Amino acid sequence: MTVREAADLLLKARKVVVFTGAGVSAESGIPTFRDALTGLWARFDAQALATPEAFEADPALVYGWYEWRRTVVGRARPNAAHTAIAKIEAAIPGTVVVTQNVDALHEQAGSVSPIHLHGSLYAPRCSSCAEPATPPDGPGDEPADGRRLTPPACEHCGAPVRPGVVWFGEALPMDALEAAVAAAADCDLLITVGTSGVVYPAAEIPQVAARFGAPVIQVNPLPTPLDDICTVNLRGPAAEVLPELVLSLPPTAAR
Ligand code: BJW
Ligand code: ZN
């Protein structure tokens, strides 16, 4: 299937949802989770780092790992895929960006208020009273990826501060999930970019759009479980495929 077929869908669309995963930030140098050799879960144990039980058992291990992640992400810059998505948003005002990513590269590329389904590395909060905590200044001092770091104490109750991300077994932020489902149910095109589509309930978002009759374009170098619901599967890296797709938009708005 070709970029031309996808471009025809994009040109007709008035309400677009762009649903992104770690692959959209891969070409900014941020590792994905499940890519076979380079993904975070190939090197680290998700159960020991990305669950509430892990934080309870060893807050310094988990906090240190997330500070390393925040340093890596803080030094990254948006790539051509983030920029192309912001251009789609500028050209088609009814566009909603829904991301599973905890970086801020969509915002840095110019996307306005993307919906963050899995939280953010920049929104730490108290692990007990949930009060927001002040994010540390700057990109961090690059602790080694395994270095323990005692989390700061909450200013209100003294409990350890935790990363503001959604771990396995935790509910997604209700307002974000509801807004994403509503946008998917109401869109006339969904573009899914760089996600393996295996983590729920986020993976429902493209499926909701398809159930409500919207065509779905997928941008991913590899097949995913979402292939079957997609109208067009564009196999390739997002930073190559999306700029090509955006070339189909009217010149003034798209560039
Ligand atoms: C490129 C590219 C390039 C590469 N260009 N593309 C059994 C069945 C079904 C569900 C479950 C189950 N057992 C447990 C569950 C539930 C669980 C779940 O889904 N688990 C599955 C993994 C089995 N879900 C949860 O626990 C969720 N919560 C929940 O269900 O709560 C229930 C509840 C309700 C009420 C009260 C209480 C509880 C929460 C899920 C949270 C996920 N968290 C993480 C970590 C976030 C923090 C952090 O960053 O550390 O979110 S895990 C990780 O996966 C992260 C991601 O957002 C998420 C999705 O990953 P993503 O983005 O798709 O990345 P990858 O690596 O998987 O894929 C990258 C893709 O890019 C690949 O396809 C590449 O090919 C591609 N690619 N280069 C384009 N250049
Ligand atoms: Zn507190």
Side-chain angles (χ1 to χ4, degrees):
M1 281 168 278
T2 63
V3 172
R4 167 64 74 84
E5 287 171 82
D8 287 345
L9 294 171
L10 184 60
L11 273 171
K12 282 189 280 183
R14 293 291 166 268
K15 288 182 278 184
V16 179
V17 171
V18 183
F19 175 68
T20 67
V24 79
S25 296
E27 287 151 283
S28 294
I30 300 176
T32 64
F33 294 91
R34 297 176 183 79
D35 278 281
L37 296 175
T38 55
L40 288 170
W41 299 155
R43 296 166 57 200
F44 301 100
D45 177 0
Q47 288 305 314
L49 292 164
T51 63
E53 293 78 18
F55 187 72
E56 204 170 318
D58 196 342
L61 175 75
V62 174
Y63 194 80
W65 190 68
Y66 276 95
E67 276 299 281
W68 166 67
R69 298 262 313 278
R70 195 176 63 81
T71 302
V72 171
V73 160
R75 291 176 183 187
R77 293 293 163 258
N79 65 52
H82 298 102
T83 305
I85 291 166
K87 285 179 176 171
I88 293 173
E89 207 176 318
I92 307 173
T95 300
V96 178
V97 177
V98 178
T99 187
Q100 298 165 83
N101 296 347
V102 296
D103 62 43
L105 296 183
H106 284 304
E107 289 91 332
Q108 287 172 25
S111 283
V112 181
S113 307
I115 296 172
H116 281 272
L117 289 179
H118 291 160
S120 163
L121 288 171
Y122 301 102
R125 66 171 189 273
C126 175
S127 59
S128 177
C129 73
E131 277 292 321
T134 314
D137 275 344
D141 60 357
E142 201 158 10
D145 46 13
R147 193 197 292 172
R148 308 160 65 80
L149 203 62
T150 304
C154 169
E155 287 174 12
H156 301 269
C157 75
V161 166
R162 58 161 283 177
V165 301
V166 181
W167 285 324
F168 288 112
E170 292 188 314
L172 275 60
M174 188 64 85
D175 52 347
L177 184 57
E178 282 178 0
V181 170
D186 188 44
C187 72
D188 48 30
L189 175 66
L190 185 139
I191 308 175
T192 177
V193 184
T195 180
S196 57
V198 299
V199 175
Y200 283 81
E204 285 283 356
I205 300 300
Q207 299 176 41
V208 168
R211 268 203 301 278
F212 278 78
V216 176
I217 298 170
Q218 175 164 242
V219 179
N220 198 311
L222 297 175
T224 79
L226 296 172
D227 281 12
D228 290 349
I229 62 146
C230 291
T231 321
V232 180
N233 278 296
L234 300 174
R235 303 263 190 251
E240 286 177 24
V241 173
L242 284 174
E244 218 183 310
L245 186 60
V246 161
L247 284 176
S248 67
L249 289 169
T252 48
R255 295 188 187 100

